[in-house]
Amino acid sequence: MKEPWQLTAAEAAAKLQDGALTAEALTRSCLERCAEREAVVKAFTFLDPGLAIRNARRVDKAYAKGVLHGLPLGVKDMIDTADMPTTHNSPLYESLVQGRDAACVGVARGEGAVVFGKTDTVEFAAAGRRALTRNPHDTTRTPGGSSSGSAAAVADGMVPIAFGTQTGGSTIRPASFCGVYAMKPTHGVVNSEGAKRYSHTLDTIGWYGRSPADLHLVARAFRLFGMEAAPATKPVRGLRIALCRGPHWDIAAPESQESLLTAGKRLEVAGAVVEDLTLPASFDTISRAHHIVLYGEGRGAFLQEYLTAPGLLHQDFHDRVLNKEGITAQDMVWAYDHAAACRRLFDALFPGYDAVLAPAAPGEAPVGRQDTGNAIFNSMWTLLHVPCIGIPCIKGPNGLPVGVQVVGPRMGDAALLGVAAAVSPVVDAG
Amino acid sequence: MKEPWQLTAAEAAAKLQDGALTAEALTRSCLERCAEREAVVKAFTFLDPGLAIRNARRVDKAYAKGVLHGLPLGVKDMIDTADMPTTHNSPLYESLVQGRDAACVGVARGEGAVVFGKTDTVEFAAAGRRALTRNPHDTTRTPGGSSSGSAAAVADGMVPIAFGTQTGGSTIRPASFCGVYAMKPTHGVVNSEGAKRYSHTLDTIGWYGRSPADLHLVARAFRLFGMEAAPATKPVRGLRIALCRGPHWDIAAPESQESLLTAGKRLEVAGAVVEDLTLPASFDTISRAHHIVLYGEGRGAFLQEYLTAPGLLHQDFHDRVLNKEGITAQDMVWAYDHAAACRRLFDALFPGYDAVLAPAAPGEAPVGRQDTGNAIFNSMWTLLHVPCIGIPCIKGPNGLPVGVQVVGPRMGDAALLGVAAAVSPVVDAG
């Protein structure tokens, strides 16, 4: 008999909906798991058991049950919560309590989620200070970043679902390092208001779960385009999968390469049509365009903090504001237009394929807390605005998880969730 | 001898910088003007004289003087302020006080502005409830929207500068109706974090002043690209101006047509080269693309309020969330790609021209409070992400102001400010 904290979000949701489990009982079980593990994993920046239980009881009293009814939710600590402080892992905001929830938190609460606690993050989900969080699979290693605490908390059973954000690779990469599922939806379909801005072109709210069905629940809460009509899953046989090494294959560690090729082989064995995909030459400079947009928009993103409290702002952000990279107006326009052109090229691959299969991370999670891993296998997809779903696949040489990701066309989130549901039992068979 | 409230921001700034005027004295003068006029104009949703004076005294005590040192600033009431409530003109947020300033407010404070009060707005700067604000030139008429209070407050001398936002035509149109100057910069260069989200592709922070030099001051505070290098003004003689009637000329009222043609003639007389510009045929559907992006992104923008307090949310926003327009995923992708293509086409007009000259509003301000005027002369520029500067030009048949706007290429804000400074004495000669 499983403890409630061991249930996936989808498993727990079924019991919560039919009354076999209460929000309070699940929350208490998660709190017990935290009591056991948090001193080691350090996933949370704020966790008040009394408040989490009060939030659960409010949900248990609701007149109607939403899509996320009763599910404890971890919220990355650069996303505003009306009842909990939001520090952004910055000394500048140590005691900040906002008057209202971020839009994504409000939607989750509106759909019955139990706002459980705030999860540690890289400073402003960008640079500077790292989270204290440790990888639950090996506590000498990073869980990845910047959504460090959210990925680790879900991986370790502390919460069934959690919000992250992705501007480079901050949602999908930690999922690979921690061996959990994650979704970065199409840019802009989930309102990112109330999450700290880094780059308006790139910032995307994402979420973690321990099964593709968990991701599907959260996507339903956000009413992504086509969620009502799309099948929750489809047969693997006949799926057309484009195996895409991408422009940075040479810097993927052997276990990352093995993960992608293994996923491809497993799918082929299961009857999918797997074809090698070489992206057009213009994608060779897509990561450069991402870098320009990131640093160019980062100039304005931290100007407020730079002007009002420079002494409490990490040097990384001074460098952004002072444009140490020397990004020009012309660079910005080139990057925007190049991204727009590549988006059209990428979308044109569909419906020829059901999904693109690509590396999710450079390899296993690095040792230590400072290096949260290279975002290069994610940033191009973030700039392309396309939906990505991270799926665990193999174990690396040190026994740590290494995932892959499936990628769809813009606004193709609902169909991609169906593909993820189909391929996950095959790909995540390690 | 002028009262301090009668000074433009640039005039006041000169005195504030050299110590001939204090922030407190200017603030008190603006408060006196408000005491005289606010009962009629109704520009503010929140105005606490004691708080405004405390904010001024803090600025007077500063160790260094910023670009906006001592200038009272009106803040549209859907932009967060740490020391004042932000209602969004929504019953849902009547008592909301956020823990931190919106990014633009933080930057303004960091540069020495005196946060003065909150200005009335259309609900969420989008739809639903209108502001109570009246046009100072004729109190039976609207000042336009959604930045109703900001435009009216600057026009009436209550504050020298104020923040607005533009998602359709919410900054430039009210400027035309109220006879003031306004700038909508290139999308994304000013961090819009902390302003209520409507459409992440469109929402842009803008500002009002009573001279082009006022707009320049605020642009310097935001460190727009190229501000250090660009000349503050340039000779009118030899400027190449593209007179652009645009795709909606037939629905411009006679005074709006007259304003554009008069501005063109005045510039020609002053030695500028004015040429008629017909936009490529693809611009015929640019306003349709704007509509799709606006309503498509509006689906997610108000989901939080729809789920958490539907009874306090205007029917307009229920319609957005429920997608009454029937916008599809395919529509969205078409609109994004069409906009990206038109952006490249428009930018390619430069450097062949120094600026495009276009109508700023459909005509004089409408009578009453409900109709804040059609945004059709602004929304295409908003979608194109290009900088726009509103300049007063003529008086219409009822004696109300009618302006024009100059438009530049993306990221060409600094050069466009120079053009505005050059052409304003010629165009605004009515």
Side-chain angles (χ1 to χ4, degrees):
Chain A
M1 175 78 182
K2 278 185 187 174
E3 292 295 322
W5 66 262
Q6 295 176 297
L7 301 170
T8 66
E11 289 165 352
K15 292 177 187 284
L16 288 156
Q17 293 286 345
D18 74 12
L21 181 66
T22 66
E24 182 176 346
L26 177 54
T27 299
R28 286 188 182 276
S29 181
C30 290
L31 285 168
E32 281 165 27
R33 176 67 180 168
C34 292
E36 198 180 315
R37 295 284 298 165
E38 176 61 4
V40 173
V41 178
K42 301 177 192 287
F44 290 90
T45 52
F46 181 89
L47 183 55
D48 174 345
L51 177 53
I53 290 166
R54 286 196 300 281
N55 282 343
R57 286 185 176 176
R58 188 178 309 120
V59 167
D60 280 329
K61 286 176 177 172
Y63 296 118
K65 294 182 177 181
V67 171
L68 302 177
H69 178 79
L71 294 173
L73 170 74
V75 178
K76 187 176 179 179
D77 195 25
M78 39 66 78
I79 300 176
D80 294 340
T81 38
D83 53 355
M84 298 175 188
T86 303
T87 74
H88 306 284
N89 189 13
S90 158
L92 231 158
Y93 292 112
E94 257 163 15
S95 56
L96 175 72
V97 181
Q98 288 287 63
R100 77 176 173 119
D101 285 330
C104 63
V105 174
V107 169
R109 260 195 239 266
E111 290 287 358
V114 176
V115 176
F116 184 84
K118 302 301 279 282
T119 58
D120 211 350
T121 173
V122 174
E123 190 171 348
F124 299 125
R129 300 207 296 195
R130 305 307 197 251
L132 292 176
T133 312
R134 293 164 173 165
N135 192 312
H137 297 277
D138 175 349
T139 55
T140 69
R141 292 172 187 261
T142 179
S146 64
S147 310
S148 316
S150 286
V154 170
D156 208 43
M158 294 168 158
V159 280
I161 50 172
F163 284 139
T165 61
Q166 181 156 314
T167 300
S170 285
T171 296
I172 299 295
R173 185 168 87 265
S176 178
F177 289 173
C178 292
V180 292
Y181 287 79
M183 177 165 197
K184 179 206 87 66
T186 298
H187 180 258
V189 295
V190 174
N191 186 349
S192 66
E193 194 183 355
K196 184 73 176 82
R197 174 82 60 92
Y198 182 8
S199 156
H200 76 272
T201 299
L202 300 168
D203 295 347
T204 310
I205 303 290
W207 48 90
Y208 294 98
R210 292 194 296 270
S211 79
D214 300 355
L215 305 180
H216 194 272
L217 278 178
V218 181
R220 275 178 61 204
F222 286 118
R223 303 176 181 208
L224 304 189
F225 276 109
M227 289 301 294
E228 324 74 37
T233 186
K234 40 183 92 176
V236 175
R237 182 162 304 277
L239 277 184
R240 293 147 307 164
I241 304 292
L243 191 145
C244 177
R245 290 169 175 78
H248 306 295
W249 184 247
D250 55 325
I251 54 172
E255 66 269 21
S256 177
Q257 297 189 352
E258 187 198 334
S259 184
L260 184 74
L261 300 177
T262 301
K265 258 180 237 144
R266 288 175 180 168
L267 286 168
E268 217 160 25
V269 168
V273 180
V274 180
E275 287 175 21
D276 280 328
L277 168 70
T278 303
L279 294 169
S282 47
F283 284 79
D284 293 348
T285 48
I286 190 79
S287 294
R288 172 77 192 140
H290 177 274
H291 182 86
I292 287 168
V293 169
L294 189 73
Y295 280 77
E297 295 186 353
R299 258 187 87 219
F302 305 104
L303 182 56
Q304 173 181 20
E305 290 81 6
Y306 173 83
L307 290 172
T308 54
L312 293 176
L313 192 67
H314 193 282
Q315 184 62 37
D316 285 355
F317 303 103
H318 286 250
D319 292 350
R320 295 284 193 293
V321 172
L322 297 172
N323 195 14
K324 281 284 167 67
E325 298 269 320
I327 308 283
T328 66
Q330 288 69 32
D331 292 336
M332 294 295 285
V333 172
W334 171 79
Y336 289 138
D337 289 344
H338 188 60
C342 287
R343 282 175 202 137
R344 292 190 73 153
L345 283 174
F346 184 76
D347 281 8
L349 295 169
F350 302 87
Y353 295 109
D354 289 293
V356 167
L357 182 70
E364 287 183 317
V367 171
R369 202 166 65 81
Q370 279 309 307
D371 175 10
T372 63
N374 194 335
I376 196 85
F377 294 96
N378 312 104
S379 55
M380 61 179 280
W381 309 115
T382 311
L383 181 60
L384 290 173
H385 289 174
V386 293
C388 304
I389 295 178
I391 301 173
C393 183
I394 64 164
K395 294 278 188 288
N398 297 291
L400 278 117
V402 184
V404 292
Q405 60 185 322
V406 286
V407 184
R410 285 173 294 167
M411 302 288 167
D413 304 73
L416 187 68
L417 279 159
V419 173
V423 304
S424 291
V426 175
V427 169
D428 183 9
Chain B
M1 176 75 183
K2 279 185 185 171
E3 292 294 323
W5 67 261
Q6 295 175 296
L7 301 170
T8 66
E11 290 165 351
K15 292 178 188 285
L16 287 156
Q17 293 286 344
D18 74 12
L21 182 64
T22 65
E24 181 176 348
L26 177 54
T27 299
R28 286 188 183 276
S29 180
C30 289
L31 285 167
E32 282 166 25
R33 177 67 180 169
C34 291
E36 200 179 314
R37 295 285 297 165
E38 176 60 5
V40 173
V41 178
K42 301 177 191 286
F44 290 90
T45 53
F46 181 90
L47 183 55
D48 173 346
L51 177 54
I53 290 167
R54 287 195 299 281
N55 282 342
R57 286 184 176 176
R58 188 178 309 120
V59 166
D60 280 330
K61 285 177 177 170
Y63 295 118
K65 294 182 177 182
V67 171
L68 303 177
H69 179 80
L71 294 173
L73 170 74
V75 178
K76 186 176 180 178
D77 195 25
M78 40 65 78
I79 301 176
D80 295 339
T81 38
D83 53 355
M84 298 175 187
T86 304
T87 75
H88 306 285
N89 188 15
S90 159
L92 231 158
Y93 292 111
E94 257 163 15
S95 56
L96 175 71
V97 181
Q98 289 287 64
R100 78 177 174 121
D101 285 330
C104 64
V105 173
V107 169
R109 260 196 240 265
E111 289 287 359
V114 176
V115 176
F116 183 85
K118 302 300 280 279
T119 59
D120 210 351
T121 174
V122 174
E123 190 171 348
F124 299 126
R129 301 207 296 196
R130 305 306 196 252
L132 292 175
T133 313
R134 294 164 173 164
N135 192 312
H137 297 277
D138 175 349
T139 54
T140 69
R141 290 173 189 262
T142 180
S146 65
S147 310
S148 316
S150 285
V154 170
D156 208 42
M158 293 168 159
V159 280
I161 50 172
F163 284 138
T165 61
Q166 181 157 311
T167 300
S170 286
T171 297
I172 299 295
R173 184 168 88 265
S176 178
F177 288 173
C178 292
V180 293
Y181 287 80
M183 177 164 198
K184 180 206 87 65
T186 298
H187 180 259
V189 296
V190 174
N191 185 349
S192 65
E193 194 183 356
K196 184 73 176 81
R197 174 82 61 92
Y198 182 7
S199 156
H200 75 272
T201 300
L202 300 167
D203 295 347
T204 310
I205 302 290
W207 48 91
Y208 294 98
R210 292 194 295 272
S211 79
D214 300 354
L215 305 180
H216 194 273
L217 277 177
V218 181
R220 275 177 61 204
F222 286 118
R223 305 178 179 204
L224 305 189
F225 276 108
M227 289 301 295
E228 324 75 35
T233 186
K234 38 183 91 177
V236 176
R237 180 163 304 277
L239 278 184
R240 292 147 307 163
I241 304 293
L243 190 145
C244 177
R245 289 167 175 80
H248 307 293
W249 184 247
D250 54 324
I251 54 171
E255 66 269 21
S256 177
Q257 298 189 352
E258 187 197 334
S259 184
L260 184 74
L261 301 176
T262 301
K265 259 181 235 142
R266 287 176 181 167
L267 286 168
E268 217 159 24
V269 168
V273 180
V274 180
E275 288 174 21
D276 280 328
L277 169 70
T278 303
L279 293 170
S282 48
F283 283 78
D284 292 350
T285 49
I286 189 80
S287 294
R288 171 77 192 139
H290 177 273
H291 182 86
I292 288 169
V293 170
L294 188 74
Y295 281 77
E297 295 186 353
R299 257 187 87 218
F302 305 104
L303 182 56
Q304 174 182 20
E305 290 81 5
Y306 173 83
L307 290 173
T308 53
L312 294 176
L313 192 67
H314 193 282
Q315 184 61 38
D316 285 356
F317 303 103
H318 286 251
D319 293 350
R320 295 284 192 293
V321 171
L322 297 173
N323 195 14
K324 281 286 168 67
E325 298 270 318
I327 308 282
T328 66
Q330 289 69 32
D331 293 336
M332 294 294 286
V333 172
W334 171 79
Y336 288 139
D337 289 344
H338 188 59
C342 288
R343 283 176 201 136
R344 294 190 71 152
L345 283 174
F346 184 76
D347 281 7
L349 295 169
F350 303 87
Y353 295 110
D354 290 292
V356 167
L357 183 70
E364 288 183 316
V367 171
R369 202 165 65 81
Q370 279 308 307
D371 175 10
T372 63
N374 194 335
I376 196 86
F377 294 96
N378 311 104
S379 56
M380 61 179 279
W381 309 115
T382 310
L383 181 60
L384 291 172
H385 290 174
V386 293
C388 303
I389 295 178
I391 302 173
C393 182
I394 65 164
K395 294 277 188 286
N398 298 291
L400 279 117
V402 183
V404 293
Q405 60 185 323
V406 286
V407 184
R410 285 173 294 168
M411 302 287 166
D413 303 74
L416 187 68
L417 279 160
V419 172
V423 305
S424 290
V426 175
V427 169
D428 183 9

